[in-house]
Amino acid sequence: VISFGFHNLIPSLGNYLKRNAQALRWAIILGSSIPFFVYWIWEFILLGMIPVQGETGFLAVRELGLMPAQILKQVVASPYVSHAI
């Protein structure tokens, strides 16, 4: 819940929802579930694009001590990817 950055809004949500514990619970669950699933899909797609073995695979990058963003830059063939990451 905290990792998606809205934990500082809980006191305001409590006031807005008139201290209704069940409504606040649902707001927290839905408010953190939606970004989590979008993030999970994003990770699934990105990690699915990068091979495990091979010249630009996770294993080769780990042995060379490079950053994972380097592989993604090579797979996508865009210099802007590593800057965005």
Side-chain angles (χ1 to χ4, degrees):
V1 171
I2 294 172
S3 67
F4 294 110
F6 76 93
H7 60 284
N8 58 347
L9 297 175
I10 292 175
S12 299
L13 281 174
N15 290 334
Y16 181 75
L17 296 172
K18 299 179 181 158
R19 304 282 182 217
N20 182 343
Q22 186 175 7
L24 185 58
R25 189 175 299 120
W26 276 109
I28 292 170
I29 290 170
L30 287 175
S32 60
S33 296
I34 294 169
F36 171 74
F37 285 117
V38 170
Y39 175 76
W40 184 77
I41 291 168
W42 170 256
E43 286 292 320
F44 183 76
I45 290 170
L46 283 180
L47 294 177
M49 291 173 55
I50 301 171
V52 175
Q53 297 185 8
E55 206 174 284
T56 60
F58 278 118
L59 297 176
V61 169
R62 186 182 71 183
E63 293 202 9
L64 293 173
L66 298 174
M67 298 293 287
Q70 299 282 334
I71 336 171
L72 191 58
K73 185 170 97 174
Q74 291 176 359
V75 170
V76 177
S78 173
Y80 302 107
V81 172
S82 62
H83 294 297
I85 293 173

